[in-house]
Amino acid sequence: MNYYRLSAYGLTLKDPINNEQYVNGASFNKLLSLYEFDRKLRVLLISVLETIEIAFRTHTSYEIAHRFGPLSYKDKENFINEKYHKESLDELNNLIKKSRKSELFIEHHYKNYDGNIPIWVAIEVTPFGFLSKLYRNLNEDVKKHIAKIYYNVPYLYLESWLQTLSNVRNVCAHYGRLYNKKLTFKPRLFKEEMKQFDNRFAFAAIYIIQRLLTKDEGQRFITDLQALILEYEDSLEFSHIGFPSNWDELLSKIKNQKS
């Protein structure tokens, strides 16, 4: 692997006063362990983010279709900002056109329905980032309903969480670094949560992931995360991923609150 890529994981092993020197106990094997931990964490997160993204596509398209109609995503009246709606619609149309050759269900609608693509079909060619922007600009009543019925949180929190997780998903998909790196978009948290952990690091994303998973999905996620932490805990500095000392208790508490 690229030396520059690997050396980024060694920054936390440097002496804070003299960064030309490594701290006592630092080793090449420990450096590799941090790299491997980060790699496996990305693999774990992208798997559960896929689950969240697919579920959110379903909820959003269902509510838009049932409230406004199959092609209502084209109507600016169903969105807050007309300019953002036009930009999103242009982006979606480009995504649909690009998908004609690779997605049979898109070509099917061109051949049989004059290219009229209903929302539940169109949304299947959209990336996480597009979903986040679509939801942010959606009619406020619909946003509130989706956030309350499916996720039991105020919509302002869900807006923030989707933006955070969209960025984390991109980091994972492009093999970026999560260890000792601040989140680009800090998620909005409730006051009690802000007292318990920092929303600038990876744990904040992990926490909101757990909030958005179902009870069974959350249980599997915690089990996999615990196994990963146990494998590398001797090499980790938990402050560099924002994990509080009672991290597993906090995540388990979310799971136990779900029906």
Side-chain angles (χ1 to χ4, degrees), residues 135 143-144 146-158 161 190 211-212:
Y135 180 77
K143 283 198 294 189
K144 287 180 179 178
I146 292 172
K148 180 179 180 181
I149 296 300
Y150 298 107
Y151 302 104
N152 194 32
V153 293
Y155 78 87
L156 289 175
Y157 287 83
L158 186 56
W161 295 357
F190 296 98
R211 290 287 300 258
L212 297 176

Side-chain angles (χ1 to χ4, degrees), residues 82-98:
E82 183 178 343
K83 178 177 177 290
Y84 294 157
H85 171 254
K86 183 182 183 307
E87 291 174 353
S88 293
L89 190 57
D90 289 343
E91 182 180 352
L92 180 56
N93 286 333
N94 285 332
L95 289 168
I96 291 171
K97 288 177 182 177
K98 289 179 180 178

Side-chain angles (χ1 to χ4, degrees), residues 126-144:
T126 61
F128 206 153
F130 181 90
L131 291 174
S132 175
K133 291 185 290 185
L134 177 71
Y135 180 77
R136 184 178 292 271
N137 198 34
L138 194 57
N139 174 289
E140 193 166 290
D141 287 341
V142 182
K143 283 198 294 189
K144 287 180 179 178

Side-chain angles (χ1 to χ4, degrees), residues 141-226:
D141 287 341
V142 182
K143 283 198 294 189
K144 287 180 179 178
H145 180 77
I146 292 172
K148 180 179 180 181
I149 296 300
Y150 298 107
Y151 302 104
N152 194 32
V153 293
Y155 78 87
L156 289 175
Y157 287 83
L158 186 56
E159 280 184 349
S160 170
W161 295 357
L162 291 172
Q163 186 177 34
T164 297
L165 296 185
S166 170
N167 182 257
V168 170
R169 189 264 176 206
N170 287 340
V171 171
C172 294
H174 294 92
Y175 322 116
R177 178 165 52 91
L178 292 171
Y179 189 81
N180 190 36
K181 192 173 181 181
K182 293 178 182 178
L183 297 173
T184 302
F185 298 106
K186 298 181 293 185
R188 180 190 290 259
L189 298 175
F190 296 98
K191 288 182 180 179
E192 189 58 36
E193 295 163 349
M194 289 292 289
K195 294 177 183 177
Q196 299 185 71
F197 57 90
D198 194 326
N199 71 339
R200 296 176 299 168
F201 295 97
F203 181 77
I206 288 169
Y207 184 86
I208 60 177
I209 284 172
Q210 179 70 347
R211 290 287 300 258
L212 297 176
L213 293 172
T214 66
K215 184 175 182 178
D216 289 343
E217 291 164 351
Q219 179 58 69
R220 290 193 294 270
F221 178 51
I222 292 175
T223 299
D224 291 341
L225 183 61
Q226 287 172 331

Side-chain angles (χ1 to χ4, degrees), residues 24 43 140 242:
N24 290 334
V43 172
E140 193 166 290

Side-chain angles (χ1 to χ4, degrees), residues 71 73-74 109-110 113-118:
L71 302 177
Y73 64 92
K74 298 182 179 183
H109 279 78
Y110 270 99
Y113 301 103
D114 297 321
N116 289 316
I117 314 293

